[in-house]
Amino acid sequence: MTALVLQIEYTEDEARKIGVVGWVKNTSKGTVTGQVQGPEDKVNSMKSWLSKIGSPSSRIDRTNFSNEKTISKLEYSNFSIRY
C-alpha cells in the first residue's frame, strides 16, 4: 500500500481488531507500506479501512495494493509497526 499519510499506531490497532497479521511502516516519502495476511474477508476489510477511513488525522490520496496472492500459511503471528 502506498500514498497513505497516517498515524500507523491506529493501523496496528485496526489490524488487531479485524484479526489480520503482518506489518506497517512509514516511508521517507511520506507514504505507508506494509503487508497484511489473513482470511480473504478480513484482508478485504483491512483494505477497505485503509482506503476509506484510516487514522483520524490521515489524508488518503490513493491506495495501491499489489502482490496479492493466496498463501498456505501465515508468515506472521501478529501485526506490528516497523521502523
Side-chain angles (χ1 to χ4, degrees), residues 19-22 35-39 42-43 71 73-76 79:
V20 293
V21 297
Q35 189 170 112
V36 177
Q37 297 179 351
K42 292 183 178 187
V43 170
I71 56 175
K73 68 176 194 163
L74 299 175
E75 298 168 359
Y76 306 96
F79 198 91

Side-chain angles (χ1 to χ4, degrees), residues 18-20 38-48:
I18 291 173
V20 293
E40 185 176 6
D41 62 326
K42 292 183 178 187
V43 170
N44 286 338
S45 292
M46 188 67 187
K47 286 169 58 178
S48 178

Side-chain angles (χ1 to χ4, degrees), residues 8-27:
I8 56 179
E9 292 83 8
Y10 287 98
T11 304
E12 180 182 34
D13 290 344
E14 189 65 22
R16 290 181 176 164
K17 285 179 198 170
I18 291 173
V20 293
V21 297
W23 57 271
V24 67
K25 176 182 176 180
N26 284 323
T27 72

